[in-house]
Structure formats: C-alpha cells, structure tokens
Amino acid sequence: MVKIKDGLVLDVEGLRMRYGATDVLHDVTFQARPGEVLALLGPNGAGKTTTIEVLEGFRARSAGRVEVLGEDPARADESWRARVGVVLQSWRDHGKWRVRELLAHLGSCYTGYTEPWDADELVAAVGLTAQANQKIRTLSGGQRRRLDVAIGIVGRPELLFLDEPTVGFDPEARREFHGLVRALGDTTVLLTTHDLHEAESLADRIVVLDGGRIIADGTADELAKLIVGEDEVRWTHDGRRFTRSTTESTRFAFDLFREHGDEITELEVRRSSLEDTYIALVRRAEETSR
Amino acid sequence: MTTTALRAGWDRGVVELRQSFTNGADLWGHFFWPLLMVGVTVFLRDRTFAGFQLGALVLPSILGMNASMAMVSMSQQLTADREDGTLLRARATPNGLVVHLVGKIISVSGGLVVDLAIFLVPALLLVPGLAVDAASWPTLAWVLALGLAAALPIGAVLGSVFTSTRSQGLLTLPILGLIGISGVFYPVTALPEWVQGVAQVFPVYWMGLGTRSALLPDSAAVVEIGESWRHLETVGVLSAWTVLGLLVAPIVLKRMARRESGSTVAGRREKALQRVG
C-alpha cells in the first residue's frame, strides 16, 4: 500500500483547468486529512464538478499538482482505483441486473486489491434487503440512490467521492441519504453540493468555490467568523416591537438593559446564519472579480 | 489481478447472457429474426439457380450473415452502455473496462451461438439439398470462430466511433447494402464484377462462403467466384480483419473510455430526456 505523504488523503495545489480560452478553475488549492468529510460548496457553474472529476481521474487537468491517496489520478493504476469509491448519478445502467447480483459482481472486481463487502451485508447496510433480488430498473428513486452508494463503497474505499449526491431529492430521501453518509465511519469523503445546509450537516470542513476560485476554506464556525455577519436583535419596549441588525449583539443587549432596565421584554437575538455568510462570501467574491 | 478480471468478465458475460434469455423483449429478438430466416429459406427451397436449389444455397449464407452481424450487436451494445452510464461505472471499478469487454465478448458470442442454433436446427430439417456430414461441423466451427474474431473487434470500433443510439441507426443502411452485395440471398457471381470486388473486401461475403463450403456439396462451388470454396483466401481475409480490429479496437476503446465522466453522462441524459419530452 502506498504511504500517504504528510497524512493527506487529498492534496491539491494550483489546480487549473482551461477549455479553449476560458479558465474554469484558477489556482485551486486545498487538502483533506484521513477520515475527514470535506464539502466543496458553491453555486452552479463554480467548477465543483470539474474539480471532482479531475480528482476522480476522469478528466485531465491543464496545470497544477494533484495527489489523491499519494498518487496522481491522471497516471494512477488499477490498485489506486480500487482504493477510491465514486458514487455516480445513476440513470438507467444495469437495469436488467438484480441488486444483490450487481453488488456481488462489482465486489468481485476488487478481489486481490481490497476486502470487498459481502453482497448480503452490503445490501442490508444500505437497507435494500427487501429489494435484494429485484431488478434494478424497478427500484424507486431513493432505493436506486442507496444502491449507488452501495456500489461506491463496495470495495471499502479509503476515499469516497460524491458529486451533487442529493440533487432532486425530497427532504425525506435527503435525510436518509445523509444518515448513510454519516454511517461511513473512517472513510474520507469529498462531496460537492450547492446546498449549504447539506454541507453544514455532513461536512467537517467546507471549501467554498466560486467562479473557479476558492474563496473560503474552514469549518462552518470558522466560515461564519470569517465574515462577521450581522445578528438580528428584537425586543419589545412600551408595547412596541423593535428590530435592529448589529455585529455586536451582546453589547447591544447589555446597553439596552442598562438604559431601560426591566422595561425591555421579549428579547430575541438571532445569530447571523451560515447561509448569510455564504451569500455574503459569494457576493463579495463576485464583486471583486468584476 | 488479470485472472480476477477475466473471471469477473466471464461471470459478467454469463449473467448478461442469462438475462437476455429471461426477458420478453430480448427473447423476441432472439427468436424473431432466426425464425423469419427459416421462413425465407423454406419459401426459396423450390427455386433454382444454375441447377441448384436456392433454399439450400441461401441457408448457409444466412448463417454466415448472422454470424457477421455480431459486429452490429457488439457496436449497438457498446453505444447503449456508454449512453446509460454502464461504461462510466466500469471506469470507476478496478479493471472495469477489461471486465466489461470480456463480458461483452462472452454475452454477444454466446447469444449468437444460440441464435444460430435457433435458425439452423429447423432449417436443416425443412430445406433439402444440403450435404451435411461429419466434415461439415469442424469447417463450420472454424469459419464461425474466425468470423467472430473478425467481427467483434470491428463492432467495438464502430461502437466507439458512433456515439449515440441515433447515429447507430445510420449504420444500419450501409450494413444492409453490404449484405445485399455479399451473395447472401443470391449468388455473388450474378452481380457485376466491380460489385463482386467490393463485396470481397468485407467479412460478410467470406463468412457466407465459408459456411456454404461447410454445408453444401462440393459441386455447389461452381456458382462461386473461381468455382472454388477458396478456404485459404477466407482465412486470409478474415484474419486480416481480425488483426486490424485487434490493433485498432484497444486504441479507440481507450480513447472513448477516457472521455467518459459524470458530466458527459449527465449531458447525454439531459439530451435523451429532451428527446422524450
């Protein structure tokens, strides 16, 4: 097994992607450590899919250094491929196959490289036991997605890629899917999403990509601090409701009480949300690039 | 690792083969054409050409034609697998492309052998004028094996070059034309010489000639070019196609596979859905 240098699962430095005369990725740099769940967050067209496809080894880059599990995905061999899982957005492939049959077949391709999942255990782990012998084309959307995850992890990968995993999901299916990802344990995960709540709920760390550039990189809390968003303070005084936005909500509340004492009622402080931060970040990045 | 891949490929082929005999649409495909062809030979059995019964001449030719059509099924299946994302899955799996290709070779050739039997067994009983003896079967076996070896790589190349199910449809026309000039339904010597020249470049003619040599009496060779079964030339042309195919196919297949990614599959899905909607 190749030793991972500096304990990094993903090491991307100065990644550039150019189609014709347009750059879709400029100098993208980030890392991921073992076991980390990293979200690549950004609006549509930010370059998330291009980035993940370069890391998956499905797309050649224009410039930059990329190491995934210690190897360059553009030149990596089949033993590297066996250590990486990709959850693809299925459409109608393998429709005639049965769930268990396909998982057993794909698992058998990993023999000699990794310890693939036992097909029955895997079917149970993703909650498809009742559908194990069903033809894949007869699965519902949510069931099919669970099968996609099962296919992605059948070889017990050290690193799992999820590209826009919950696009088109209803809230129920989304919650179910998030539960599956959280149950992955030690696996390092890189997921792309344009949904901030998904990034916040799944990821240890969020890398924000916009216009092909990384504009922020940190935990949800760090991102919120990075841009001081304005908190909202509401209170009632003399039977009237007041609302004020401020960056210094604690100080403001203290001053409010000092001035009016117990005449202040129904005090509410709403902390600036990550969503506000994200929107502010993207807006600021777009203004500077103009 | 190579043994793992070959075994997985074999298993994949067997599963796909079984699937194609356990669902209605595929079963229809397996039985419709062979049985239609049986009908054609029965219809032609009382007609004669140069003193030979046409049904007897046509029967082995159809066998050869069907075998060379493995090229078409290979090509269509590869295109379909690319369009629906099966190939991308293969790309995401260790040795997945080898496994996929071995599986395809097993399932396409296995399906073909069954199709040939579906045609051959009733046709042999219904059509008089054939000379089937102990020597027929080895000849038939090597002609079909070599023919498949020539047809499958060409099919893989065509499947890589024609990128959509729609453009695969365009392939049908030249292939029907090729069958028309390859002496399947009428002896090739009845056609103008330049057409005979064109036909002899492609494997369809040689497959038919080979199967005729296996199943017809030697006297029937008089209706062939040069009044001979020309086994040497058959081996030569089919081997040349095999070598050419084996040289070109890996290059084209790799190039095609390299282009597959999540976004290309998603793009095709969108296009296909627009077509439907």
Side-chain angles (χ1 to χ4, degrees), chain A residues 53 57-59 78 81-82 88-94 96-97 101 105 108-113 148 151, chain B residues 1 4 8 12 15 18-19 26 83-86 88-89 91-95 99 258 261-263 269 272:
Chain A
E53 286 183 354
F58 289 164
R59 200 174 273 276
E78 301 300 329
R81 178 57 69 201
L88 295 167
Q89 300 202 22
S90 61
W91 178 20
R92 50 181 193 197
D93 66 289
H94 291 102
K96 290 179 194 163
W97 289 65
E101 181 178 59
H105 166 66
S108 77
C109 298
Y110 289 83
T111 313
Y113 294 108
D148 291 333
I151 294 172
Chain B
M1 303 304 158
T4 303
R12 187 179 176 87
V15 169
R18 196 186 63 225
Q19 284 164 353
D26 285 3
E83 201 160 48
D84 70 16
T86 306
L88 181 59
R89 281 231 196 275
R91 222 192 149 188
T93 314
N95 295 311
V99 172
R258 254 208 310 273
S261 68
S263 39
R269 167 172 49 191

Side-chain angles (χ1 to χ4, degrees), chain A residues 129-144:
Chain A
T129 306
Q131 288 80 25
N133 289 313
Q134 211 166 305
K135 281 191 184 160
I136 290 173
R137 64 164 164 237
T138 65
L139 296 181
S140 74
Q143 290 166 348
R144 175 100 220 209

Side-chain angles (χ1 to χ4, degrees), chain B residues 33-97:
Chain B
W33 287 108
L35 292 182
L36 187 75
M37 289 298 144
V38 171
V40 169
T41 49
V42 169
F43 179 71
L44 288 174
R45 68 180 167 180
D46 296 329
R47 299 195 172 204
T48 54
F49 177 88
F52 292 97
Q53 283 165 307
L54 202 49
L57 286 181
V58 163
L59 184 149
S61 313
I62 288 177
L63 208 58
M65 170 189 78
N66 283 354
S68 56
M69 285 311 109
M71 179 169 76
V72 177
S73 19
M74 186 76 176
S75 158
Q76 284 172 345
Q77 291 197 28
L78 270 183
T79 303
D81 281 354
R82 172 157 54 171
E83 201 160 48
D84 70 16
T86 306
L87 262 177
L88 181 59
R89 281 231 196 275
R91 222 192 149 188
T93 314
N95 295 311
L97 291 172

